[in-house]
Amino acid sequence: MSHGSHRSVQRLRWLVSHTACGPSPNCDDRNIQGDQEWGVLKTTAITWRGWDPGQHKVLPEQFWGLRDAEVRVGDVVVTKAGPRHRVGVAAHVSNSPGRLAVSGKMILLRPDSNAVDPRFLAWSLATPRPQAFLDARKTGMAESQMNFANEDLLAMPIELPNMLEQHRISDFLAAETGRIDRLVDLRMRQSSRLEERYISAVSELTTPGISSSTDRDETWPWLPARLATARLGYMARVQSGVTVHGARERGASDAEFPYLRVANVQGEWVDLSEVKTITIPPDMARRSTLRPGDVVMTEANGNPDNLGRGAVWKGEIANMVHQNHVFAIRANQNRLLPTYFSALLAATHGRRYFRFTSNQVGIATTSSSKVLDFPVPQLSLEQQHRVVNEYERLRAAITRTRKALATQMHLFAERRQALITAAVTGQFDVSTASGRNVTDGV
């Protein structure tokens, strides 16, 4: 236990002088401009890594001037609606441009500076005991739609050391978590550069000259003019999927089938960690059953750059049917290798084609006709096999590196949380730990 080990337990409501929740109207999704507009915070402004005032939208004019719900430097904001893991996230407001209000999906806490260091309060809310207290009081129709009552949060017991110790702990954690966060940022930049290099390598492999040629195709201006292409529809077909219709009456022959959804298709791979089932007639299932070698891709994506990416189905689960929002592209493998086609979709050519041809009202979408119009470079099967071999080598290398980076990021997160918990709960004396490089070995 640290110096000044005597601690008191206070209800959160005794530590704050003001609380507020704001409105959640339809907003203009941009940052505020000038000196009149007011913004409302998105929940993404509040993360365990800290506070980001740039994550806000412009409120309708009738909501401007909400001083009661305006965040100020020194406040603590806590998310209170959303997926379970995103409810109860707290951040200290270290800076603010002003005229930003909390929404109905969060609660503003204005700590009494005579009772608690605001930074210490935010750190405290990140520790296991307060999180367990709040988690037990979350309610909702689904794990993705949780909430809690303000009164439950305000009834939370908070263990406090004396004010001097709160300041010491807060200063210590600001310095040490800052060091960890800088390491995380470094790894994230490395990951981003790694992805850029991977896409560049795959692009040059599948469409030689795409990054260097100065003579460009008239129809597809990102492709080299000398690259001969053929329409995908000449060498593949698109299979339609099953439409989910809850009102459909069940028949005597209906059976249960595993069901590939949009959420299962993750770029160049298929995520089978959660597979749902659907009950439909066998003849309907047959028309939408996947076969090994099918390339599956989604018809819509919130990020236009990811639209059109496809993964090869390898028959991991028998009798798998697919959703109507997932295209199954079945190639004539005497003309087109599925893995070669999947590599094309992951490369610059695939990304630019679907961004160029997509409908982008709301989210980016494509259609089966546009998929069939995709221009495929005319390579012999022997050439395609050589491309596939090199592509799979590149994929294996980047997969190993991704896993290594993910492991490091996980260790950083674990170390950060352990450091916060140990410091806040007084498991060591921060005055003697300061300067001892407690993040060594991270």
Side-chain angles (χ1 to χ4, degrees), residues 239-260 276-290 319-324:
Q239 176 177 275
S240 299
V242 173
T243 301
V244 178
H245 186 29
R248 187 185 67 82
E249 293 186 6
R250 292 191 175 186
S253 65
D254 282 8
E256 190 174 49
F257 295 89
Y259 179 60
L260 193 79
K276 297 193 175 182
T277 60
I278 188 171
T279 301
I280 53 175
D283 61 335
M284 182 185 293
R286 276 192 294 273
R287 293 194 294 270
S288 299
T289 298
L290 293 172
N319 302 316
M320 176 73 83
V321 300
H322 63 99
Q323 186 181 18
N324 63 313

Side-chain angles (χ1 to χ4, degrees), residues 68-294:
D68 187 64
E70 182 184 17
V71 294
R72 302 177 187 172
V73 173
D75 287 345
V76 173
V77 282
V78 184
T79 59
K80 59 167 290 181
R84 181 180 289 275
H85 74 283
R86 284 286 301 149
V87 173
V89 178
H92 170 249
V93 178
S94 55
N95 61 88
S96 176
R99 307 193 315 279
L100 295 180
V102 290
S103 74
K105 296 182 178 180
M106 59 195 70
I107 181 172
L108 178 153
L109 304 174
R110 185 153 296 145
D112 178 350
S113 59
N114 293 316
V116 65
D117 183 319
R119 300 171 300 163
F120 183 85
L121 179 58
W123 295 123
S124 293
L125 292 173
T127 58
R129 188 172 293 175
Q131 282 294 303
F133 177 91
L134 202 55
D135 196 58
R137 289 158 178 80
K138 294 174 186 175
T139 60
M141 298 294 291
E143 289 293 297
S144 60
Q145 299 173 327
M146 303 301 288
N147 205 327
F148 63 76
N150 292 352
E151 282 303 309
D152 284 338
L153 176 65
L154 295 173
M156 178 187 292
I158 302 291
E159 188 179 89
L160 296 175
N162 62 54
M163 188 62 74
L164 179 59
E165 188 67 7
Q166 290 180 42
H167 294 331
R168 286 176 178 159
I169 291 171
S170 298
D171 290 343
F172 169 82
L173 287 176
E176 296 302 331
T177 61
R179 292 184 58 195
I180 294 175
D181 291 345
R182 287 191 292 275
L183 289 172
V184 169
D185 289 340
L186 176 61
R187 293 295 179 267
M188 290 177 69
R189 289 195 296 272
Q190 288 177 331
S191 179
S192 178
R193 285 196 291 268
L194 176 72
E195 295 299 327
E196 289 174 2
R197 287 188 175 187
Y198 172 68
I199 295 300
S200 177
V202 172
S203 299
E204 194 61 34
L205 178 67
T206 55
T207 47
I210 194 169
S211 59
S212 57
S213 176
T214 56
D215 190 11
R216 297 291 174 176
D217 186 89
E218 291 184 2
T219 306
W220 314 114
W222 56 88
L223 289 179
R226 68 177 185 274
L227 187 67
T229 63
R231 183 174 175 268
L232 176 65
Y234 295 142
M235 56 194 81
R237 68 180 182 87
V238 175
Q239 176 177 275
S240 299
V242 173
T243 301
V244 178
H245 186 29
R248 187 185 67 82
E249 293 186 6
R250 292 191 175 186
S253 65
D254 282 8
E256 190 174 49
F257 295 89
Y259 179 60
L260 193 79
R261 301 166 296 129
V262 168
N264 298 119
V265 182
Q266 299 290 324
E268 298 163 79
W269 58 285
V270 179
D271 180 4
L272 298 177
S273 58
E274 182 184 0
V275 176
K276 297 193 175 182
T277 60
I278 188 171
T279 301
I280 53 175
D283 61 335
M284 182 185 293
R286 276 192 294 273
R287 293 194 294 270
S288 299
T289 298
L290 293 172
R291 298 179 188 173
D294 286 348

Side-chain angles (χ1 to χ4, degrees), residues 235 331-338 379-382 384-385:
M235 56 194 81
N332 174 354
Q333 296 191 33
N334 291 320
R335 300 192 61 187
L336 178 65
L337 298 180
L379 273 64
S380 68
L381 284 179
E382 182 181 353
Q384 290 181 43
H385 275 296

